[in-house]
Amino acid sequence: GMLLALLGWGSSCVTTFLPLWKNLNLDLNELEVWNMGLWQVCITQEEGVVECQAHGSFLALPPELRISRLLMCLSNGLGLLGCLLAALGLEGWRTCEDKPGRKQRLLLAGGVTLGMAGITTLVPISWVAYNTVLDFWDETVPDIVPRWEFGEATFLGWFAGAFLAAGGLLLACSARST
């Protein structure tokens, strides 16, 4: 459970800062690929040159990106807190050995916190993916206009949320009384 939680937390942190949440490949200029993340937009050219620019204004962002920024930062904080709480409650640590009930409560609290971190990772990833699908299949936009598609960070975020939730569930279940 702890290994899954650490893997999920690390993946969630990487997902937060990767500019690969959405990809746009222009048919008119196949030499450029646009990538959008929570914090910046990058253009990758055929020669391998990557140019990134931060989003101009927080308020100018679409609502799903504004809220996703907040939720992903909250998820990273909850993941760190959950890993620390769960680590203190593990059998291998010498903390609270005189009070086994406290170790179980720490492990349970860490598992629940990691589960919440998993949910706060899955919600923004899924919301951005949902809006990407809606925009992709929007019939009011002419077919000639390029459309955003899922980026690699979307899939990494889904795995991160699943790992955090599964790790938290395993740790919370292992906190049962012996």
Side-chain angles (χ1 to χ4, degrees), residues 103-132:
K103 281 184 83 74
Q104 290 175 345
R105 286 192 299 273
L106 282 171
L107 192 58
L108 180 62
V112 169
T113 306
L114 286 165
M116 291 184 340
I119 291 170
T120 55
T121 298
L122 290 171
V123 167
I125 295 287
S126 299
W127 190 14
V128 169
Y130 173 75
N131 283 331
T132 303

Side-chain angles (χ1 to χ4, degrees), residues 3-169:
L3 184 63
L4 275 177
L6 287 171
L7 182 62
W9 177 68
S11 299
S12 177
C13 289
V14 169
T15 300
T16 302
F17 297 105
L18 274 180
L20 301 170
W21 282 52
K22 295 179 176 184
N23 292 339
L24 179 69
N25 192 353
L26 303 174
D27 291 334
L28 300 174
N29 186 2
E30 295 179 5
L31 304 179
E32 290 182 349
V33 176
W34 289 58
N35 298 308
M36 181 188 294
L38 297 178
W39 307 98
Q40 58 189 353
V41 175
C42 295
I43 301 171
T44 306
Q45 298 175 351
E46 185 181 36
E47 303 86 35
V49 176
V50 179
E51 294 179 29
C52 295
Q53 182 177 357
H55 292 294
S57 168
F58 179 75
L59 297 175
L61 289 174
E64 71 266 10
L65 290 183
R66 282 187 301 211
I67 295 173
S68 293
R69 275 186 183 185
L70 299 172
L71 286 175
M72 288 302 291
C73 290
L74 176 66
S75 170
N76 295 338
L78 285 173
L80 178 61
L81 178 64
C83 286
L84 292 175
L85 288 172
L88 293 174
L90 290 176
E91 291 294 323
W93 290 86
R94 297 245 185 250
T95 59
C96 305
E97 281 190 346
D98 55 338
K99 300 174 186 169
R102 183 172 291 166
K103 281 184 83 74
Q104 290 175 345
R105 286 192 299 273
L106 282 171
L107 192 58
L108 180 62
V112 169
T113 306
L114 286 165
M116 291 184 340
I119 291 170
T120 55
T121 298
L122 290 171
V123 167
I125 295 287
S126 299
W127 190 14
V128 169
Y130 173 75
N131 283 331
T132 303
V133 170
L134 284 182
D135 292 343
F136 187 86
W137 294 109
D138 187 3
E139 294 181 5
T140 62
V141 178
D143 289 339
I144 195 167
V145 175
R147 297 163 195 259
W148 290 100
E149 297 182 19
F150 295 151
E152 290 84 358
T154 305
F155 300 104
L156 181 62
W158 276 323
F159 282 113
F163 288 158
L164 280 167
L169 181 66

